[in-house]
Amino acid sequence: MENNHKDTDTIIQPSKDHEHRNEQNSLLYQEESGDFKVTQPRLFGDSHPRDKRPPESGSQGNKTSRSNGKSVFAAFMAGVIVVGGMMFASDRMNLFTGGSPASSVSAAAPSAVISGTAQKASLDIVRPTNIADIAQQASAAVVKIETKTKAQSSNKQNNPLYSDPFFRQFFGDNGGSQEQEPNGQLQPSGLGTGFIFESSGYIITNEHVIDGADEINVTIEGQDQPYKAKLLGNSYDLDLAVLKIEGSTPFSTLPIGNSDNARVGDWVVAIGNPYDFDYTVTAGLLSAKERPISIPDTNGTRDYKHLLQTDAAINPGNSGGPLLNMDGEVIGINTAVNSQAQGIGFAIPSSTISSVLQQLKDNVTIPKEPAPFIGVSVQDLTSDMLNDLKVDTTDGALVADVQRKSPAFEAGIRPYDVIIAVNGAKITSPTELTAKVQALKAGDQATITVVSNGVKKDVTVTVGDKTATTSTQKQNQG
């Protein structure tokens, strides 16, 4: 809507009639090119310019005028001397500010002095000075991973998702199309990073870096010949994989730290091979924790949870590389980046890695994380629904559908019920309901408050596990 209101601020400008002011008003200020500057004051009692005195009217008047002028001038000078003397004395003796008399006057310094110690007025940003040391110590354990696939099994080249920039912006391998080789011939298919976490040659990286590979080659900085790596175990859902290389001597390793101890605002270092620029080091801040993102591919959708967010530069090729704290410990595996934004990269936290590392080494299937659900599809309430649903507010979530044999179905929740609270906490929208349910655990008993045909009631729902339910349904279909 157009705003017809007009600003009413008053603009103050020099008066147009300054040329008509009397000469007395020019004692303090004069106008020059629109700016004001102080002029020399005249003596008090001299009410007329010296060059424009009126003619003398008589000797008596002249004597009286001179006498008055001398008296005023003498009084003025006496006042100046007395006030000036008092000000000088008070300043020298420090009468008004306390403490010892001032012995000297100096210009104010840019920093405050407290107890004889200079302290800066503003807080400087302290940047770490050990990034180069961290990079040097870590470089021997950070590896470059190159994958090859046979021409007929090169799913990436035939997968239209890999040519979609909105998909490829998240993954750290090159994922681009390569020239096709004859069937059965190996061809380069991907590039990524990893790091050695055990001196016997165990390497961890992202699952998407080695997905579909027929051959995996690992190169260590300073060595010309790559190692053939064996895939031990991997998890699509967690996007993690463990590889093994063999060597005659122990390999350098990186310690895995605890990402739970990392704080938002901490400095971090990322090392990887972006765009085939080997062993690139970048640094930045830990921007956030507990970030979720979802990325679809031909195998399903990777639902990342608990990710670390950083503004350290991460680019395609960094995937699988370490995110290090200032102690040189791995607190995350660089996994995804949003190239449509600046300084938004994501890493799988070391707390997730540590919990499944042994299972990946032993190639043990890692069970999927339980996904709490109650089995309802909900939508927003609108004002035109209120009469039919017999409710008086649009707060809540309208049940549009209920899955058969789901927790909500077993508890008696049906379509056209309105869910208004979970465990006593008010629900104002479907988004709030989803957040409340996801905050619960599978197996929890939840009290769901619903309005059904105008009647408010509480029902008890046993929260289910959507992952287990989906798995069972697939087995039954198979």
Side-chain angles (χ1 to χ4, degrees):
M1 180 179 294
E2 183 178 354
N3 186 0
N4 295 322
H5 174 72
K6 296 183 179 179
D7 293 335
T8 58
D9 293 340
T10 302
I11 300 176
I12 300 176
Q13 296 179 337
S15 174
K16 298 285 186 179
D17 62 347
H18 65 276
E19 295 178 355
H20 304 289
R21 295 173 183 168
N22 60 44
E23 196 166 352
Q24 180 67 33
N25 289 338
S26 68
L27 284 173
L28 299 181
Y29 300 99
Q30 69 179 17
E31 186 174 75
E32 289 186 359
S33 303
D35 297 325
F36 293 94
K37 74 173 185 178
V38 177
T39 62
Q40 295 295 329
R42 293 192 180 95
L43 299 179
F44 284 92
D46 193 357
S47 60
H48 299 282
R50 295 180 185 274
D51 56 347
K52 296 183 179 180
R53 293 181 180 275
E56 296 183 359
S57 59
S59 61
Q60 183 65 33
N62 187 33
K63 290 181 180 180
T64 303
S65 175
R66 290 180 179 179
S67 177
N68 291 339
K70 290 180 179 179
S71 299
V72 172
F73 177 73
F76 170 75
M77 294 304 297
V80 169
I81 294 172
V82 171
V83 173
M86 294 177 63
M87 292 177 64
F88 177 79
S90 64
D91 182 61
R92 297 293 295 177
M93 299 179 66
N94 214 9
L95 296 177
F96 295 106
T97 59
S100 59
S103 59
S104 63
V105 179
S106 60
S111 59
V113 178
I114 302 177
S115 302
T117 303
Q119 297 188 4
K120 294 185 178 180
S122 61
L123 181 64
D124 288 339
I125 298 176
V126 180
R127 294 175 174 83
T129 59
N130 62 332
I131 291 178
D133 296 331
I134 292 173
Q136 184 177 7
Q137 294 172 4
S139 61
V142 178
V143 301
K144 177 180 179 180
I145 299 176
E146 298 172 286
T147 60
K148 294 182 179 181
T149 57
K150 295 178 181 179
Q152 67 268 25
S153 62
S154 181
N155 294 327
K156 289 183 179 180
Q157 281 71 25
N158 300 323
N159 180 1
L161 285 175
Y162 277 85
S163 61
D164 182 354
F166 293 100
F167 173 79
R168 291 180 57 198
Q169 67 177 323
F170 287 100
F171 284 137
D173 53 22
N174 58 14
S177 59
Q178 305 286 343
E179 293 183 2
Q180 292 294 320
E181 300 288 343
N183 289 347
Q185 296 294 317
L186 292 174
Q187 59 182 5
S189 60
L191 169 67
T193 309
F195 66 89
I196 304 171
F197 64 91
E198 284 190 14
S199 60
S200 56
Y202 287 95
I203 298 169
I204 190 163
T205 186
N206 284 131
E207 193 272 344
H208 73 257
V209 171
I210 52 84
D211 180 33
D214 294 307
E215 183 178 298
I216 304 172
N217 293 318
V218 171
T219 303
I220 298 176
E221 185 182 19
Q223 299 187 22
D224 296 331
Q225 295 299 319
Y227 294 84
K228 289 287 193 301
K230 178 183 179 182
L231 175 62
L232 298 184
N234 62 293
S235 169
Y236 170 85
D237 296 300
L238 297 178
D239 198 9
L240 294 173
V242 167
L243 312 176
K244 180 70 165 62
I245 58 175
E246 302 292 340
S248 58
T249 58
F251 296 98
S252 297
T253 63
L254 283 178
I256 297 178
N258 187 352
S259 58
D260 292 339
N261 295 334
R263 300 184 303 168
V264 173
D266 283 349
W267 283 88
V268 291
V269 176
I271 305 178
N273 303 284
Y275 295 107
D276 210 10
F277 290 103
D278 297 353
Y279 306 102
T280 298
V281 178
T282 60
L285 299 179
L286 182 61
S287 306
K289 301 172 71 173
E290 298 294 327
R291 293 297 199 202
I293 61 174
S294 297
I295 304 175
D297 61 20
T298 55
N299 297 320
T301 299
R302 298 181 196 264
D303 293 316
Y304 297 94
K305 300 177 181 179
H306 318 299
L307 296 181
L308 305 178
Q309 180 182 328
T310 179
D311 67 352
I314 297 176
N315 292 288
N318 275 109
S319 277
L323 186 69
L324 306 166
N325 61 18
M326 290 297 100
D327 294 323
E329 299 172 331
V330 178
I331 60 169
I333 291 181
N334 302 320
T335 299
V337 61
N338 189 334
S339 64
Q340 303 303 311
Q342 183 176 1
I344 299 181
F346 301 97
I348 299 172
S350 60
S351 56
T352 299
I353 301 166
S354 299
S355 65
V356 297
L357 198 54
Q358 190 60 47
Q359 292 167 292
L360 291 171
K361 287 174 59 178
D362 297 337
N363 196 22
V364 175
T365 301
I366 299 172
K368 293 185 177 182
E369 184 177 351
F373 89 120
I374 59 175
V376 295
S377 298
V378 291
Q379 67 182 66
D380 287 310
L381 286 164
T382 58
S383 57
D384 58 344
M385 299 177 180
L386 300 183
N387 289 335
D388 293 336
L389 298 173
K390 298 181 181 180
V391 294
D392 54 8
T393 177
T394 56
D395 288 345
L398 174 62
V399 178
D401 189 29
V402 183
Q403 298 177 24
R404 290 184 59 82
K405 299 184 179 180
S406 67
F409 185 88
E410 299 294 339
I413 297 177
R414 296 293 182 267
Y416 302 107
D417 286 350
V418 178
I419 298 177
I420 61 174
V422 175
N423 289 333
K426 184 179 178 181
I427 297 298
T428 61
S429 67
T431 302
E432 280 194 8
L433 174 62
T434 301
K436 293 290 184 183
V437 172
Q438 290 180 346
L440 301 171
K441 295 180 180 179
D444 286 351
Q445 299 287 317
T447 300
I448 308 293
T449 304
V450 300
V451 176
S452 182
N453 197 27
V455 178
K456 180 180 177 180
K457 61 181 180 180
D458 291 336
V459 296
T460 301
V461 178
T462 302
V463 179
D465 179 5
K466 189 174 182 180
T467 301
T469 301
T470 304
S471 177
T472 301
Q473 291 175 348
K474 288 183 178 180
Q475 290 178 0
N476 294 336
Q477 292 174 357

